[in-house]
Amino acid sequence: MTAAADNGYRDRLRGATGTAHVRLDARFAQGLRTAAQYRTYVLGMQAFIANAERALALANLRPAWKAWRDPARTAWLDEDLAAMGIPAMAEGPRMAINGDADAAGLFYVIEGSALGATQLLGDAQALGHGPGTGATFLCRHGGFGAGKRWRAFVADLERADFDTVSERTMLESAARAFASAEHEFHRAELAHQNFTAGR
Ligand code: HEM
């Protein structure tokens, strides 16, 4: 049996973004226990993912990376916001993706976010949400098959052959993606406060 390729990209991506992930975790330290926390999560994820999917749709990618472009997630999040009667936020600062390494960093963040989603799904269900009733995104993104998909992604990632400059591009892209997600969760918190105050 041939050993799976391991160029150490995943480890270096995790190293480059670990602190940012800890900050995101701290934002949802208790998980999604309340309706307000859940709405903030969906609102922030919608803005982050919609922005990312728009950038990826415009990117010129080779087939191996194109295969990871999966524009379904924005629609799931839109569906969840509609089910909860919450308007999406205005578009945040635009992302731009320029080539495979740039895309690989963003894909790492999107695909990795499914691991967190597997943990959050139970919280959403406890709040009464399911597929079609506000948790389509978590059920699909973090549901059955998420672990298998992540392992397939990491295998493809480690098979890539980026030179030093491209690797740096990938690491910076992942860090930028986390910064974008943090920004969107911050905006979501404020938008949600305004939304509930106006009701
Ligand atoms: C909001 C609550 C979140 C929780 C509780 C959470 C939790 C987790 C957990 C348990 C893992 C698996 C760690 C492991 O198996 O070693 C993980 C991995 C990851 N998460 Fe999150 N996560 C959350 C949000 C997010 C968000 C919003 C993003 C991105 C926008 C994200 C990006 C990632 C990435 C990239 C990984 C893979 C790290 C690696 O290489 O091991 N997470 N998360």
Side-chain angles (χ1 to χ4, degrees):
M1 205 170 102
T2 323
D6 184 354
N7 287 318
Y9 293 136
R10 187 266 183 111
D11 283 350
R12 291 199 282 286
L13 280 160
R14 189 162 38 181
T17 58
T19 315
H21 192 278
V22 168
R23 278 198 303 271
L24 273 184
D25 264 0
R27 194 174 272 283
F28 299 101
Q30 307 296 321
L32 304 174
R33 297 268 176 88
T34 66
Q37 285 165 340
Y38 183 60
R39 288 181 193 140
T40 300
Y41 172 79
V42 176
L43 204 50
M45 278 306 271
Q46 192 279 344
F48 167 65
I49 293 286
N51 195 354
E53 287 187 348
R54 270 192 301 272
L56 287 165
L58 296 173
N60 192 7
L61 304 179
R62 276 187 290 186
W65 289 109
K66 224 183 242 176
W68 286 102
R69 191 155 56 182
D70 183 2
R73 297 183 185 97
T74 303
W76 299 336
L77 286 156
D78 286 346
E79 187 186 317
D80 291 340
L81 287 179
M84 292 187 286
I86 305 172
M89 294 188 288
E91 284 178 24
R94 252 174 207 241
M95 275 186 216
I97 290 296
N98 189 9
D100 290 340
D102 212 5
L106 177 55
F107 283 135
Y108 166 77
V109 178
I110 296 174
E111 295 299 332
S113 72
L115 301 178
T118 59
Q119 296 205 332
L120 301 173
L121 178 55
D123 291 348
Q125 286 166 335
L127 289 167
H129 299 293
T133 56
T136 299
F137 171 72
L138 280 180
C139 289
R140 305 291 293 267
H141 186 55
F144 184 71
K148 192 171 166 201
R149 184 179 167 98
W150 172 248
R151 286 190 293 280
F153 173 75
V154 172
D156 272 8
L157 177 70
E158 297 299 0
R159 263 196 295 272
D161 185 16
F162 294 132
D163 62 18
T164 315
V165 172
S166 299
E167 185 181 321
R168 169 67 33 207
T169 300
M170 173 180 72
L171 297 177
E172 284 174 3
S173 173
R176 247 189 347 265
F178 265 101
S180 166
E182 282 190 84
H183 176 73
E184 298 302 1
F185 283 124
H186 182 64
R187 282 207 308 144
E189 234 163 57
L190 299 176
H192 183 256
Q193 278 163 15
N194 292 339
F195 177 68
T196 45
R199 274 192 154 178

